Amino acid sequence: NGTENSGAEVDIVNVANQLDVKRRRIYDIINIMESVEIVSRLKKNTYRWHGLDNLPSFFARLQKEGYQARKMKRMYPHLKELPTDDSKTIKGMGNTCQKLIQIFLVTHKIDIGLTDAAEEVLGPLPKSEKQKDNETGGGSAPSVSGEKKDDGSDSKDESKDSGGEGKAMKTKIRRMYDIANVLQSIGIIRKENVGSTSSKNKPSFRWVYRILPRDMHKYLLPEDDYVSPMCHDNHAGGTSAPITPEECHSSIFPTGTTARRAS
């Protein structure tokens, strides 16, 4: 059973050969799984399978880290980047994966728009990319420089304006879609209305894991020293006030979101 912690070793080269796919694609999937501790690296090209049993405690710890990051940003608003433990830093697709999951965990939301998620994880999107995602769900390929658009205009000028920054953002968005596909196959989130052109049914991500974000703190291990999402911050005059998940979210992810709360 692939969900259980069998302790089996996974050889990337053998897997790529057996599936007849490029090794790079397997590495992308492994990096995502490693970021949520489904596998861990043993040595070059070799990983140990841990399964899905430990996901609740990992999500609870990721949620706690999100709350702590919120508190740090409130205490030190002038810092552009918060101090991190380099030994635990996850980069690349793994970092993007954790940020996407953390949006749900710190807000207790069940649905979040695809464009909202992209902006909160990756930063502000180019105007053209945001419009395309809202209209098509980001399923279409980016426009090629010099290509004629539907309205008869030339995309060449638009490409000049966006330059390398626009191309880099498109690459990041595609990576986020790849991450969402892996998380969907694991049963954590689900993509909804992808490719929809309806203004009422915009593309979104939906949390489908068996434990709701608002209940995830119950699975934090004792040694992780849980910090309540309703923790109190000290204010002037020695008073304190409870912080809601929404306030927590806005301090960790500055961009607003239109996602719905869990019912």
Side-chain angles (χ1 to χ4, degrees), residues 63-80:
Q63 184 183 59
K64 184 205 73 171
E65 291 171 358
Y67 293 142
Q68 290 177 328
R70 180 265 315 154
K71 186 173 183 178
M72 287 289 291
K73 295 206 75 164
R74 289 176 64 91
M75 293 173 63
Y76 307 103
H78 62 284
L79 292 179
K80 293 183 179 180

Side-chain angles (χ1 to χ4, degrees), residues 188-236:
I188 297 175
I189 66 173
R190 183 174 66 229
K191 297 185 299 182
E192 297 196 333
N193 303 318
V194 175
S196 171
T197 58
S198 170
S199 59
K200 295 182 178 180
N201 299 314
K202 291 185 178 181
S204 64
F205 295 132
R206 182 174 181 83
W207 182 267
V208 295
Y209 189 63
R210 60 184 178 84
I211 303 170
L212 292 174
R214 67 188 180 193
D215 296 327
M216 201 63 69
H217 67 276
K218 299 175 183 178
Y219 296 85
L220 195 74
L221 299 178
E223 58 266 28
D224 287 325
D225 190 22
Y226 180 65
V227 176
S228 170
M230 291 302 197
C231 63
H232 288 65
D233 283 353
N234 290 328
H235 296 274

Side-chain angles (χ1 to χ4, degrees), residues 6 13 25 46 68 80 94 109 140 144 168 187 193 218 231 251 262:
S6 64
V13 177
R25 300 303 299 164
T46 305
Q68 290 177 328
K80 293 183 179 180
K109 299 182 193 303
S140 58
V144 179
N193 303 318
K218 299 175 183 178
C231 63
S251 58

Side-chain angles (χ1 to χ4, degrees), residues 164-182:
E165 184 178 351
K167 291 181 180 180
M169 180 59 72
K170 288 175 182 177
T171 299
K172 290 180 180 179
I173 292 174
R174 285 180 171 177
R175 284 296 182 94
M176 196 175 74
Y177 296 154
D178 291 341
I179 290 169
N181 286 333
V182 175

Side-chain angles (χ1 to χ4, degrees), residues 20 50 69 134 143 158 165 200 202 204 239 245:
D20 192 25
H50 299 295
N134 281 331
S143 299
E158 184 178 338
E165 184 178 351
K200 295 182 178 180
K202 291 185 178 181
S204 64
T239 60

